Amino acid sequence: MTPLAIVLFVALIRSVGATGGSRRGNDTGDAADVVVGLNVDLTGALGRVDPRFLSVAIDASLVAEEKFVYLLGSPKLRTLARALTPAFVRFGGTRQDFMVFTPQKPFRQSHESHQQKPDLELPWILEEKLKKEWSQQEALLLREGLQRKYKRVQFTEYTVDLLHSFANCSGMDLIFGLNALLRTPDNAWNSSNARALMDYCESRRYRMSWELGNEPNSYEKKAGVRVDGYQLGRDFVHLRQMISESTFYRHAGLYGPDVSQPRDHRRDLLEGFLKSGAEAIDACTWHHYYVNGRDTSLEDFLDPEVLDTLALKTKEVLETVELASPGKKVWLGETSSAYGGGALGLSDTFVAGFMWLDKLGLGATLGLDVVIRQVFIGSGSYHLVDDNLDPLPDFWLSVLYKRLVGPEVLRIQAFSNHGRRKRVRVYLHCTNRNSKSYRTGAVTLIAMNLSKSPARIRLPAHLPASTVEAFVLQSDQPGEEGLYSRSVRLNGVLLKMVDDETLPELRGTRLPAGEHPQLPGYSLAFYVLPRAGASACR
């Protein structure tokens, strides 16, 4: 999408009332009067995202004490990860720039070393022990983060083996984040440790892509080191050269620079990086969080103006990248609701789904190619799974997105009789063509209701309302208190794993013939129209 189109899109979603409005406390509309009409264009796609658009991260904090990496061998965790494929799994975060590869055994490239390592499944007794100890470890990591005191961490080949085993068994594509704070006396990147790591990975035939550094704009605060954008770009060129010299990794992906959302020095750093390093990367990555996890509120998570800030920041990045490297893909290389590790009691509850689903819908509409969720597992409170490795509401939301939403983005406009007080946001995609349940030409309507008042969605006359299948997510508890819940219902049925290696059936509900979708208050929904006959989806 061009910068002008982004501006028009933001203006549109505000003016039609589908997303504009005052804060939740002023929402006093009568439920019977809330009607949302739609205008859609099914003749051509607005854009197309990567099939791995919704991807996840494993935070490098897991390696602060290497024994916790063994949690990646949990059969339950691998079952949950498989439900999110296809996807990238990014290993990185703040602590990646303090990690040093320190192999325990000598290795050599030979026929023997080419054999894959075993799948390294974690015994149940050890899993239970590590889960209990991880809760204490998280508290320690949180204190370190608040004090900005990060220790250098040594990791061995066992971390690499477990990461690869996890990705391989789950069906995800691993991206490994390298330490960019290893510097030479003249402040260039010291690649010797990365070369040792790549040599080991190549000896094991571990397929993966690479990143270098995490949020370089904060290096001075974290480590007292300042790296300007131009030098960072040269570091990436150096890494690309290393990759190209490897017979095994010569076609591997390289992504970066993983800068924080643009503002002053951060935008300058991104511009400098692109001048020297744009040709080295396969996609330009940046990070986005809506709010500070230490001083946010429930209202922020439901505020349309907060959600709209993504469009403004995305516009800045897309403009910058397009000017320096036309056609270069742009990713949200790390993202969630609140920075600083998330907002405890919000980022890990039902209400977080409004930020997450809107980011997926708006991000795809604006032209972002991949969105990597922080975090699948790791420190903080924005996980997809809890400390017992049980799925949280955003996990179930992500699974439904994977199953029902295809990569083709379609045009949609919404209008409401409640004008600027309306708090329904909508997006439209082709239905996932890998789903065997729906025919080609089907479309999936993504909808969310930020208000306590229910809404009725009036489908355009040319869309047959006789075969709408609804997947409506609500908290397991009613009203505003339910927004703080860690459990979710799909069409009234509580979602939980059948056992550690089995997910429940996620069934839609067929609406009565001719009935338009009803969107309950504080709900997230996917409506599949199997007979839409969208020419863009054939």
Side-chain angles (χ1 to χ4, degrees), residues 34-39 415 445 455-461 463 516-517:
V34 181
V35 179
V36 177
L38 304 177
N39 289 326
F415 51 91
L445 172 67
R456 180 159 55 94
I457 297 177
R458 188 181 299 279
L459 299 172
L463 281 180
H516 290 273

Side-chain angles (χ1 to χ4, degrees), residues 272-476:
F273 167 82
L274 290 168
K275 286 179 182 177
S276 59
E279 295 305 309
I281 55 173
D282 295 287
C284 181
T285 56
W286 65 291
H287 298 180
H288 175 271
Y289 294 86
Y290 292 103
V291 291
N292 185 339
R294 301 184 187 98
D295 62 9
T296 189
S297 65
L298 181 73
E299 285 78 9
D300 287 337
F301 278 66
L302 297 168
D303 189 341
E305 293 185 2
V306 172
L307 300 184
D308 285 343
T309 60
L310 173 65
L312 301 176
K313 295 298 182 182
T314 300
K315 170 182 173 291
E316 289 185 54
V317 175
L318 289 176
E319 284 181 340
T320 301
V321 176
E322 184 65 19
L323 186 63
S325 185
K328 183 74 69 182
K329 299 291 186 183
V330 176
W331 292 10
L332 269 181
E334 179 190 303
T335 191
S336 192
S337 52
Y339 61 86
L344 186 64
L346 293 172
S347 296
D348 52 354
T349 63
F350 180 78
V351 74
F354 295 98
M355 283 185 169
W356 181 224
L357 186 56
D358 195 71
K359 180 164 286 184
L360 293 171
L362 185 54
T365 301
L366 294 172
L368 296 173
D369 194 49
V370 170
V371 172
I372 299 179
R373 168 62 185 256
Q374 180 79 356
V375 61
F376 184 63
I377 183 173
S379 65
S381 58
Y382 36 35
H383 327 81
L384 293 182
V385 300
D386 65 16
D387 289 347
N388 194 45
L389 306 186
D390 289 321
L392 289 167
D394 275 6
F395 170 82
W396 298 112
L397 177 60
S398 300
V399 172
L400 281 174
Y401 187 97
K402 282 288 186 180
R403 294 188 181 184
L404 302 175
V405 179
E408 300 87 2
V409 187
L410 304 177
R411 292 176 177 83
I412 184 169
Q413 298 176 8
F415 51 91
S416 168
N417 59 335
H418 267 219
R420 291 189 60 80
R421 287 187 295 165
K422 199 65 198 76
R423 288 180 154 242
V424 173
R425 296 171 79 94
V426 295
Y427 303 97
L428 190 67
H429 282 243
C430 295
T431 302
N432 187 347
R433 299 187 193 190
N434 293 326
S435 171
K436 298 179 181 178
S437 303
Y438 308 109
R439 63 181 70 179
T440 57
V443 301
T444 299
L445 172 67
I446 302 168
M448 64 203 80
N449 189 348
L450 306 174
S451 161
K452 63 185 178 182
S453 300
R456 180 159 55 94
I457 297 177
R458 188 181 299 279
L459 299 172
H462 64 279
L463 281 180
S466 58
T467 57
V468 178
E469 192 167 356
F471 298 79
V472 181
L473 291 171
Q474 294 176 273
S475 171
D476 65 328

Side-chain angles (χ1 to χ4, degrees), residues 234-301:
R234 291 172 62 89
D235 296 340
F236 270 76
V237 170
H238 180 94
L239 176 54
R240 171 56 75 187
Q241 182 65 29
M242 288 171 54
I243 293 171
S244 65
E245 290 172 355
S246 165
T247 56
F248 186 71
Y249 286 119
R250 66 177 57 176
H251 301 300
L254 175 58
Y255 310 106
D258 284 284
V259 67
S260 298
Q261 58 197 48
R263 191 173 64 209
D264 303 329
H265 166 61
R266 301 171 190 171
R267 183 159 184 171
D268 292 341
L269 191 148
L270 179 59
E271 290 173 347
F273 167 82
L274 290 168
K275 286 179 182 177
S276 59
E279 295 305 309
I281 55 173
D282 295 287
C284 181
T285 56
W286 65 291
H287 298 180
H288 175 271
Y289 294 86
Y290 292 103
V291 291
N292 185 339
R294 301 184 187 98
D295 62 9
T296 189
S297 65
L298 181 73
E299 285 78 9
D300 287 337
F301 278 66

